[in-house]
Amino acid sequence: MSGADLALALTVAAMLALRGAGLLLGGVLRPDHPVIAWAAAVSVATLAAFVVLAIAMPTGLLGTVPWSARLAGVLAGALGWRLFRGGLLPALLTGLAGLLLSWWALG
């Protein structure tokens, strides 16, 4: 087993262990418990880090989209989230529409 395969296997094992612990704790703790609040904060921070990386240093097809179009998509998504009162799907669709429209407009 190569080093990369071992790292992947250990990562999968750690994630499965953490998910199992989350399931056990989630059934026992109240939704307003500090541990649950901490886990929610960590998950939101992790998601935010991935979004920032995808916008700042994209790879693949998103790497061909200009910075201004990516920024317009983020701003449109934030505006959609605000207008649709925190609805995730409408914000996502608004952000995607803003990205595609600005990419098309920039030609």
Side-chain angles (χ1 to χ4, degrees):
M1 179 180 281
S2 71
D5 291 336
L6 179 62
L8 181 61
L10 290 174
T11 301
V12 168
M15 290 292 95
L16 286 174
L18 286 172
R19 287 181 66 98
L23 286 172
L24 292 174
L25 285 176
V28 175
L29 298 177
R30 303 176 323 274
D32 61 341
H33 194 276
V35 172
I36 301 298
W38 173 83
V42 168
S43 67
V44 168
T46 303
L47 179 61
F50 281 121
V51 169
V52 167
L53 282 175
I55 293 166
M57 297 182 298
T59 60
L61 184 61
L62 190 58
T64 64
V65 177
W67 165 255
S68 56
R70 294 191 308 256
L71 187 59
V74 169
L75 294 175
L79 181 63
W81 183 80
R82 187 83 164 144
L83 289 175
F84 293 107
R85 299 179 189 173
L88 185 60
L89 185 59
L92 178 68
L93 294 175
T94 306
L96 181 60
L99 173 82
L100 293 175
L101 284 173
S102 60
W103 190 17
W104 175 77
L106 292 171

